[in-house]
Amino acid sequence: MAVKIIIVRRVPREKEEDLRPLVLKMRALANTCPGYISGETLINYDDPEERLVISSWRALENWQDWVEDPRRRELQAQVDALLGRETLYSIYYNG
């Protein structure tokens, strides 16, 4: 069953440029993973520091494999350190 992963981040304006290469590298790596379908990042119109990421995967197992990938874990640790908080994920499927 396909799943969508919802990620919400707060990105202060002064950290945008430092975050961008990390997120782009993470997306490029995800693109090479089995089961990755797509990803998009949305910026809240009323609160530009809020970012919503929607990542689509063919199966929950594909997402879980990506979560455990050491390359992703290293990049994610850098993102969390930069933003000063742990990234949280929510997993959704079509009901």
Side-chain angles (χ1 to χ4, degrees):
M1 166 186 340
V3 295
K4 292 194 182 283
I5 312 306
I6 306 300
I7 304 164
V8 179
R9 293 187 178 113
R10 293 215 54 84
V11 182
R13 290 178 193 243
E14 67 272 9
K15 296 187 178 183
E16 285 179 348
E17 291 306 312
D18 293 329
L19 180 66
R20 185 179 318 280
L22 296 172
V23 171
L24 290 175
K25 188 170 184 179
M26 198 177 309
R27 175 91 35 95
L29 284 172
N31 228 354
T32 69
C33 290
Y36 179 77
I37 298 171
S38 67
E40 68 179 312
T41 300
L42 305 172
I43 300 171
N44 184 325
Y45 186 81
D46 294 317
D47 181 3
E49 289 189 357
E50 183 181 270
R51 307 296 162 90
L52 176 71
V53 178
I54 304 170
S55 182
S56 299
W57 294 81
R58 293 198 192 288
L60 179 60
E61 294 78 17
N62 298 130
W63 162 251
Q64 291 168 331
D65 289 344
W66 171 237
V67 167
E68 296 304 321
D69 186 300
R71 300 168 300 170
R72 188 211 65 86
R73 292 173 74 85
E74 173 59 30
L75 286 167
Q76 188 60 61
Q78 292 176 44
V79 168
D80 291 350
L82 178 68
L83 299 180
R85 65 182 68 176
E86 183 179 343
T87 298
L88 301 177
Y89 310 93
S90 299
I91 302 169
Y92 293 82
Y93 62 91
N94 280 336

